[in-house]
Amino acid sequence: MTDAPSQPLPSGPLSDIRVLDLSRVLAGPLTAMNLADLGADVIKVERPGAGDDTRAWGPPFAEDGTATYFQTSNRNKRSIAIDFREDSGRELVLRLIAQADVVVENYLPGALERAGIDLEALRIQHPGLIVASVTGFGSAGGATRPGYDFVAQALSGLMHITGEHEGEAMKVGVALVDVLASKDLTLGILAALRNRDRTGFGMRVEVNLLSSIQSALANQIQATVGAGVEPTRLGNVHPSIMPYESLPTRDGELAVAIGNNKQFRDFVTELGRPELAEDPRFATNPDRVAHRPELREILAEALAADTAEGWQERFTAANLAVGKVNTIGEGIELAQSLGIDPVVELDRDGVTSKGIRHPIRYTPEFAIPTLGPPALDADGEAIRNGVGAPISPLTPAEVTRTRRSRIPRP
């Protein structure tokens, strides 16, 4: 058995992959950015003049005037502005598709075909092509429904179980459905690339927002599917575990996650109330769930003796999963203090910015690109030169030939 290699790898695992990003807003662009982080050459196609919708989604804006929403999902890409409603623009997109390994798109089903870009026909012409699509509600009965995260949260039931028990339904504080769909689509693309390695053929990979969030509802949706139980809003309370919720302290809330009887014993001992572990109302988790109101009142009274920060230090030292409710900035500071280094410095043509680091660590490591988000059409000239200029309509022979050439990287 040989030793595992320890030297850094020269480039990312997708450094020989070209991705054409025809998507807008979040789920599709974030998918393409995931691939770019892994070394893929990602060409982002945008509308002339306006670009991706999120270029205008501000405030907030970064120091260089870029909307931070756009920065979220567009680093490590090249940008070209193309109006593919025009013949020359459509032919340019077709040429780019012929040279791509993966196409990412999130148009309503049929919209690209009506613009003269028939991805299913192109898959026949280019057998190695992987077409990755994300829609709101699939390509059948929900094909015409616009796919916005907020509405998907509502229709899926996620909002129904989010919020205080007696309060209104609430969305999650981030476009979680879009983010989950992007991760699902990234996973599907990687599986399709692996399958192409084995068979030589690409495939279509489809994700929709509704399916992604329903898959992520985990135990809550399984309660409905498996037992006919319809979960309801419980605020920060866990339906099956106690204490597994936020509890008040002298100056703020504390998230407490106690998963078994030993942890409960350690928790109440550190709290100064060890007798609670022997109380028949609280001896086992089912007992604690059955007597949640009484236990919550006792715990809140004891926690009022110190601050959230103070309790966090004490419980963390006792190896218990307890933490104060941080702001996002405080969460970044925590990650930095733990050596996670969550923030990465980005640069593009001398314009610097910051982003959140790619979340996966690899051993042996490879260099993850740190190129800032592109200005609209920043790479248009180089990309156009790479497919030949001037742009002219494709010949029948070009349409039927699988092109595997590469556009030069900048």
Side-chain angles (χ1 to χ4, degrees):
M1 181 175 180
T2 59
D3 293 334
S6 59
Q7 295 298 316
L9 299 175
S11 59
L14 300 185
S15 59
D16 61 340
I17 298 299
R18 172 155 293 108
V19 178
L20 192 65
D21 181 8
L22 299 180
S23 64
R24 305 92 67 217
V25 185
L26 187 55
L30 189 56
T31 299
M33 191 183 82
N34 290 338
L35 303 175
D37 282 357
L38 298 177
D41 178 22
V42 177
I43 297 174
K44 182 177 181 67
V45 176
E46 303 188 68
R47 291 175 299 165
D52 191 305
D53 292 351
T54 59
R55 287 187 181 273
W57 284 15
F61 295 96
E63 291 183 4
D64 66 351
T66 304
T68 57
Y69 205 114
F70 179 79
Q71 291 180 325
T72 299
S73 54
N74 289 290
R75 68 181 176 222
N76 296 326
K77 299 180 183 181
R78 297 195 277 161
S79 171
I80 181 171
I82 305 175
D83 185 353
F84 49 76
R85 295 172 301 179
E86 298 180 352
D87 289 345
S88 61
R90 181 172 59 256
E91 300 302 338
L92 176 55
V93 170
L94 292 174
R95 288 176 181 269
L96 291 172
I97 291 173
Q99 297 178 345
D101 298 284
V102 180
V103 175
V104 178
E105 64 90 18
N106 61 353
Y107 284 86
L108 286 174
L112 285 175
E113 287 78 4
R114 289 190 294 273
I117 301 172
D118 189 335
L119 293 174
E120 281 306 296
L122 289 166
R123 285 189 56 233
I124 296 172
Q125 296 161 6
H126 311 297
L129 182 66
I130 294 166
V131 173
S133 302
V134 55
T135 66
F137 303 96
S139 55
T144 61
R145 301 185 74 148
Y148 281 91
D149 177 279
F150 180 46
V151 176
Q153 290 197 34
L155 292 174
S156 67
L158 175 61
M159 283 180 61
H160 180 72
I161 62 170
T162 304
E164 293 298 329
H165 178 57
E166 300 298 333
E168 63 177 311
M170 298 293 292
K171 71 178 180 68
V172 181
V174 70
L176 181 66
V177 183
D178 278 333
V179 174
L180 291 171
S182 78
K183 291 183 179 293
D184 287 343
L185 192 57
T186 302
L187 176 64
I189 291 168
L190 295 178
L193 286 169
R194 178 67 183 99
N195 183 70
R196 193 180 72 171
D197 289 342
R198 296 170 57 243
T199 68
F201 293 98
M203 60 174 62
R204 176 180 277 276
V205 179
E206 296 183 60
V207 166
N208 69 78
L209 300 186
L210 184 60
S211 292
S212 283
I213 186 56
Q214 286 179 326
S215 176
L217 286 173
N219 62 300
Q220 295 284 51
I221 200 168
Q222 188 60 35
T224 300
V225 172
V229 174
E230 191 67 74
T232 59
R233 288 188 292 282
L234 295 173
N236 290 328
V237 172
H238 194 288
S240 306
I241 310 173
M242 174 64 183
Y244 200 106
E245 59 189 82
S246 59
L247 295 168
T249 67
R250 182 190 298 169
D251 67 348
E253 291 181 292
L254 200 67
V256 177
I258 301 301
N260 58 49
N261 294 333
K262 179 183 183 303
Q263 290 177 2
F264 181 70
R265 184 176 298 105
D266 293 343
F267 175 74
V268 295
T269 298
E270 194 64 38
L271 191 62
R273 298 294 304 273
E275 74 280 3
L276 294 175
E278 308 304 326
D279 190 314
R281 296 174 297 172
F282 315 133
T284 68
N285 180 70
D287 294 329
R288 295 191 288 274
V289 171
H291 296 90
R292 185 188 303 274
E294 302 101 296
L295 180 56
R296 179 181 172 83
E297 182 177 353
I298 294 170
L299 296 179
E301 180 181 358
L303 288 168
D306 201 353
T307 64
E309 183 74 37
W311 285 118
Q312 175 181 262
E313 293 178 1
R314 292 169 61 173
F315 289 127
T316 299
N319 293 317
L320 293 168
V322 176
K324 72 184 189 72
V325 179
N326 281 334
T327 65
I328 289 178
E330 289 171 335
I332 292 173
E333 292 175 0
L334 172 63
Q336 290 172 332
S337 72
L338 297 175
I340 294 175
D341 299 326
V343 177
V344 62
E345 299 285 340
L346 305 173
D347 181 271
R348 181 162 185 131
D349 300 326
V351 178
T352 60
S353 59
K354 295 181 179 179
I356 290 298
R357 188 180 299 276
H358 179 80
I360 306 173
R361 299 298 175 97
Y362 303 88
T363 303
E365 64 182 3
F366 55 85
I368 293 178
T370 55
L371 188 66
L376 178 60
D377 203 40
D379 309 284
E381 182 178 359
I383 294 170
R384 287 180 174 86
N385 289 339
V387 295
I391 298 302
S392 59
L394 297 180
T395 66
E398 286 177 314
V399 170
T400 57
R401 185 171 67 245
T402 301
R403 296 183 61 184
R404 309 305 301 164
S405 59
R406 293 288 183 247
I407 301 170
R409 286 176 178 266

